Amino acid sequence: MALVTFLSDFGDTDYYVPAVKAKMLSINPQLNIIDISHKIETFDLAHAAFVLRSTFRDFPKGTVHLVAMNTTGSITQGYIGVKLEEHIFIGPNNGILSLLADHDPGILVQFADIHVKDSTFPAKDILAPIAAKVASGAAIHDFGGPLSNFRKLMSRQPKATRQNIIGHVLKVDVYGNLITNIRKEVFDQLNPGTFSIEFGRESVSRLQTGYDEVEPGDCFAFFNSLNLLEIGIYHGHGGNLLGLKYDSVVYVNFAS
């Protein structure tokens, strides 16, 4: 069955999400449309990219991913299709698709003018029909030619030395836990066996393997299923209680 995922900041109280789905289903009623999220913070490309980057590889190869973020924004330079790690992404050329991996996509297509109409709702009128047709067997090359100007955004990268890693919070989740950009493989390469992790006013010197290895109200730190350092307060909203938010600094200091 043709599989399409759908990611947007449309929320769930307006007609936008069902209208986009209806357009795709009118082209192929057999499509299987999976919602990744429609509660992305409004206009927040970094949030959307983090959610999609964290999930797309779990879908079967060949899945089509419809990305409806800032489709009418001033930074959007047309509409594109990309092939990345055997997945197809349909969305705006505003930089969001450049944040899904640390390498460029293998195929980049600029959708031709014949497929791009004037619209105040391009997710429905432009992107949805192309996504439905590609999921039904068409190639993204059928809708345009090579993309010469792939808009890129730079994600913040941690700084690592033998003395420390300086990272940042990528996401505060619904529980108040803080997911950072500090990767396990980097930590493992540099860790001499003794370390401290500093965040906000707190510091911990050991890692857990899950949330419930500390008492309620205590801080925890472990590498999550994404192999990213996650910190927080068990049974507490770490973001609020620690005064941390997106882009807050987190330090890992190694003993010499």
Side-chain angles (χ1 to χ4, degrees):
M1 180 178 292
L3 182 62
V4 179
T5 76
F6 185 14
L7 175 74
S8 77
D9 59 355
F10 292 160
D12 57 9
T13 59
D14 293 302
Y15 71 93
Y16 307 127
V17 170
V20 172
K21 290 182 179 181
K23 173 61 78 172
M24 288 191 283
L25 292 171
S26 71
I27 294 169
N28 182 355
Q30 302 304 313
L31 289 178
N32 185 11
I33 303 172
I34 305 296
D35 295 304
I36 291 183
S37 178
H38 300 295
K39 294 189 176 181
I40 301 297
E41 296 175 31
T42 308
F43 308 122
D44 192 336
L45 297 184
H47 179 194
F50 173 77
V51 171
L52 189 54
R53 178 172 177 148
S54 300
T55 56
F56 83 83
R57 294 177 181 88
D58 294 323
F59 288 94
K61 291 181 178 180
T63 297
V64 175
H65 304 274
L66 174 58
V67 184
M69 288 291 303
N70 285 26
T71 52
T72 60
S74 59
I75 66 170
T76 293
Q77 298 175 356
Y79 305 96
I80 62 175
V82 307
K83 187 174 184 179
L84 173 69
E85 300 177 20
E86 302 303 317
H87 290 255
I88 303 296
F89 298 85
I90 307 296
N93 187 19
N94 58 16
I96 186 171
L97 300 183
S98 72
L99 298 174
L100 301 182
D102 296 330
H103 55 277
D104 286 345
I107 296 175
L108 296 158
V109 173
Q110 175 83 48
F111 295 143
D113 290 345
I114 191 173
H115 301 290
V116 179
K117 62 180 73 174
D118 289 333
S119 172
T120 60
F121 195 179
K124 171 179 175 286
D125 297 328
I126 300 171
L127 299 178
I130 295 175
K133 292 172 184 177
V134 171
S136 302
I140 52 175
H141 288 298
D142 295 340
F143 300 94
L147 173 65
S148 59
N149 182 25
F150 182 43
R151 186 174 178 87
K152 295 184 179 181
L153 298 177
M154 297 297 294
S155 60
R156 188 184 287 276
Q157 299 295 321
K159 298 179 180 179
T161 68
R162 292 186 181 276
Q163 288 73 44
N164 61 26
I165 303 172
I166 303 174
H168 295 80
V169 173
L170 291 178
K171 184 71 178 74
V172 183
D173 74 10
V174 67
Y175 299 100
N177 304 325
L178 302 119
I179 302 170
T180 77
N181 62 353
I182 299 173
R183 295 190 172 276
K184 185 177 187 300
E185 57 265 31
V186 176
F187 175 88
D188 288 345
Q189 290 172 4
L190 296 173
N191 179 22
T194 304
F195 62 88
S196 65
I197 302 171
E198 298 180 11
F199 46 97
R201 302 174 297 277
E202 300 293 336
S203 176
V204 299
S205 57
R206 62 183 295 264
L207 291 170
Q208 288 75 43
T209 59
Y211 301 98
D212 59 354
E213 293 182 13
V214 299
E215 297 295 322
D218 287 345
C219 293
F220 63 80
F222 63 87
F223 286 96
N224 62 21
S225 62
L226 301 172
N227 286 323
L228 297 176
L229 181 66
E230 184 168 337
I231 55 180
I233 296 176
Y234 185 46
H235 283 193
H237 193 292
N240 292 340
L241 295 172
L242 297 168
L244 300 177
K245 57 184 179 180
Y246 172 75
D247 214 33
S248 291
V249 181
V250 176
Y251 301 91
V252 179
N253 299 312
F254 299 115
S256 57

